Amino acid sequence: MSEALAPDGLPPLRDVIARHGLSAKKALGQNFLLDLNLTGRIARASGPLEGATVVEVGPGPGGLTRALLAGGAHVVAIERDARCLDALAEIAAHHPGRLRVVEGDALEIDAGSLVDGPARICANLPYNIGTELLVRWLTPGVWPPWWESLTLMFQREVAERVVAAPGTKAYGRLSVLAQWRAEARLLFSVHPSAFTPPPKVTSAVLRIVPREMPAEALGDARPVDLERVVAAAFSQRRKMLRQSLKALVPDPAPLLEAAGIDGTRRAETLSIPEFLTLARRFAERLD
């Protein structure tokens, strides 16, 4: 073990990983963050930490967890990898009563049920489930959601899709679902060298905050309908809507006409209000 302790009074993360025999598993989408300055920056980006309740998904050996706790937060950490539990238990012992570790798959756990009162999510998400988790958090049946903000690490390419504007190459399903109900901002990039093992791509940190708008301003489309419409529209993004929407309905012409949208347009040209109109007209056809 290294002679010096980290600033939070715990052993350096490299020592923790070595002592517990941890190695990032590709099958779990793991890339461990070891730079405590960087984890501190991510934690602070989530907002004031003193007394806050934060849900973290995929803490691994606990680099970001330690930063959140050092800032004064109470943390609920969801970890699937049983190998990491002993390392997290040491952190919990160092911060009595402020870290709860829940063993399990985040895709199978209702994170909102783990907290009582206002909470936020801050995580270096496992790459293999990050997008699916984000979509779930953005599309609950009831809005506003249980979370106050999302501060998340993604591959930069994914992060750029979340914040992309209509008419741009990156604009797509994630852009529409994120910007319909929330404000998304790309905060900063993270070089591969910050991780162990280093991924082949640059990462980026996003912050997403729910919009506080009346239902009529948001559009009264149901999330499930919007998801289906957007998925179909972008399934063949280089084709016209009258072709790509055949994945949704056999003959898209009546649907497009009801929504007042030219079938020769492509999905990337549609604004979010236009997608909402399509989703409402689609729901009417189903009903």
Side-chain angles (χ1 to χ4, degrees):
M1 181 180 291
S2 297
E3 296 180 1
L5 295 176
D8 61 358
L10 286 162
L13 278 170
R14 291 189 185 278
D15 291 354
V16 173
I17 289 171
R19 180 158 43 85
H20 291 282
L22 300 177
S23 59
K25 283 188 175 182
K26 187 175 181 179
L28 296 178
Q30 292 175 327
N31 294 91
F32 297 152
L33 272 176
L34 303 187
D35 185 339
L36 294 182
N37 289 325
L38 178 58
T39 56
R41 185 181 180 189
I42 297 169
R44 291 189 298 273
S46 72
L49 292 170
E50 187 64 43
T53 299
V54 181
V55 174
E56 182 187 6
V57 174
L64 180 56
T65 315
R66 288 166 58 164
L68 292 166
L69 292 166
H74 294 260
V75 179
V76 178
I78 303 172
E79 179 55 65
R80 177 183 174 186
D81 188 353
R83 301 175 307 151
C84 297
L85 298 182
D86 286 344
L88 294 171
E90 292 176 2
I91 300 173
H94 191 72
H95 296 278
R98 290 204 291 121
L99 172 60
R100 176 188 174 192
V101 179
V102 178
E103 182 181 4
D105 187 338
L107 292 175
E108 300 175 357
I109 294 173
D110 176 10
S113 68
L114 302 177
V115 297
D116 183 16
R120 67 185 76 154
I121 300 173
C122 183
N124 169 27
L125 292 176
Y127 281 167
N128 59 347
I129 63 170
T131 300
E132 185 172 352
L133 283 173
L134 176 61
V135 170
R136 291 187 185 189
W137 291 331
L138 291 171
T139 56
V142 177
W143 197 265
W146 62 267
W147 48 268
E148 294 182 316
S149 67
L150 307 173
T151 305
L152 306 171
M153 176 97 74
F154 287 101
Q155 296 176 19
R156 185 176 175 92
E157 179 184 352
V158 175
E160 289 174 343
R161 295 208 305 267
V162 172
V163 302
T168 62
K169 184 178 179 180
Y171 184 67
R173 170 174 171 257
L174 286 181
S175 318
V176 175
L177 296 180
Q179 297 172 42
W180 168 35
R181 292 169 148 182
E183 295 181 4
R185 201 157 50 97
L186 197 158
L187 301 182
F188 53 87
S189 296
V190 180
H191 193 271
S193 61
F195 299 88
T196 298
K200 296 179 180 179
V201 296
T202 298
S203 300
V205 175
L206 281 174
R207 180 169 165 79
I208 301 174
V209 180
R211 295 184 190 275
E212 294 185 4
M213 290 184 178
E216 59 268 21
L218 286 169
D220 56 358
R222 296 178 303 197
V224 64
D225 297 323
L226 182 61
E227 280 192 83
R228 291 184 63 184
V229 167
V230 172
F234 285 104
S235 64
Q236 302 180 73
R237 63 181 299 137
R238 299 179 69 88
K239 294 188 178 295
M240 298 177 185
L241 288 167
R242 65 188 184 191
Q243 178 64 35
S244 62
L245 288 180
K246 287 183 179 179
L248 186 69
V249 291
D251 181 10
L255 173 61
L256 289 162
E257 183 178 355
I261 295 173
D262 185 347
T264 65
R265 293 174 63 185
R266 291 176 171 82
E268 66 190 34
T269 70
L270 265 61
S271 66
I272 293 173
E274 287 176 312
F275 272 117
L276 292 170
T277 300
L278 262 179
R280 290 195 290 271
R281 299 294 86 84
F282 172 64
E284 290 169 1
R285 290 171 61 88
L286 291 181
D287 294 339

